[in-house]
Amino acid sequence: SIGYLKGLTELSLEDMEVGDLLYLSALNKLTKLELKKVNIPNLGFLQYLKKLTVFETDRKAEDESNIGIFEEMQKLKELIYPIGDMKIIKNSINLRTIGVDASKLEALEYISGLNITSITIFNAASEEDAKSTVSEFKKYFKLQSYGWQQTWKS
């Protein structure tokens, strides 16, 4: 049982079947959670992880109906998740690093008051599209780093 791991502060799961992830809600001391090559059914499990400062994944949840959960996660400094509608994180004052869904990017002006220094771009149609997204962010932020997942054909 994962209950034995309640004191865990960091967890990284990669390339595995993990089910609904609700069992992670018992790990309420987690400050860092990485899910790489992991299918995420929905984001509901995050509502119990109030101490998270880092949440990183390389894919979207299958059901994003509870994506608003990110608004409540005030301790987050790094949220590497493909977010399109920036209004979702407009009150997340501690965020420095975010993931951006280039194919659905909107409402960038809503987060212009945040201190974003790094972005990871998801779902760009081309390298030009990724660079264009970086340019949009540079209008509002002094980026120290940026990168993207190449999902287009070279």
Side-chain angles (χ1 to χ4, degrees), residues 132-148:
S132 168
T133 301
V134 170
S135 294
E136 284 301 304
F137 270 82
K138 283 186 170 179
K139 290 176 186 174
Y140 298 96
F141 306 105
K142 288 183 168 76
L143 293 181
Q144 295 170 0
S145 67
Y146 56 85
W148 50 78

Side-chain angles (χ1 to χ4, degrees), residues 13 32 36 41 57 60 83 85 110 127 138 145 149:
L13 301 175
K32 182 175 183 177
K36 305 283 179 106
T57 184
K60 290 179 151 197
I83 296 173
D85 183 354
Y110 280 85
E127 186 171 348
K138 283 186 170 179
S145 67
Q149 289 193 330

